[in-house]
Amino acid sequence: LGASGRSAVPRLAGALRDDDFRVRRAAARALALVGGAPATVGPALVGALRDTVELVREAAAEGIGERGADGLREWGDPGAGDVLGVLRG
């Protein structure tokens, strides 16, 4: 998505709090595709792992998986710890 996608990151992260689970799911999917902004994308996707709707959690998990180990390294140790905490929790 390039630069235009990166500029959408704050709005996409905010959409993860929308009342409609379909909006939250779409936002999680879109965040997974956006390059850059690891300080926002990582925590947003990790937070979506706690969503009450399974489809949203799945989209977030897939997004984290698509970013892979490199994505977790971009987020830093706290990001990896957050993912493990949610998975254990």
Side-chain angles (χ1 to χ4, degrees):
L1 293 172
S4 64
R6 286 189 292 276
S7 68
V9 167
R11 293 191 74 180
L12 290 170
L16 290 172
R17 295 185 297 275
D18 195 273
D19 290 339
D20 187 336
F21 82 90
R22 293 167 292 204
V23 172
R24 296 193 309 271
R25 182 179 61 186
R29 288 179 174 167
L31 280 168
L33 298 174
V34 174
T40 303
V41 173
L45 288 174
V46 170
L49 291 173
R50 294 182 178 95
D51 196 278
T52 59
V53 177
E54 183 177 358
L55 291 171
V56 177
R57 294 191 306 267
E58 286 176 0
E62 288 171 6
I64 291 168
E66 288 171 12
R67 302 285 296 234
D70 289 338
L72 288 177
R73 276 193 287 278
E74 285 177 7
W75 301 338
D77 291 336
D82 289 346
V83 170
L84 293 174
V86 170
L87 295 176
R88 289 183 182 139

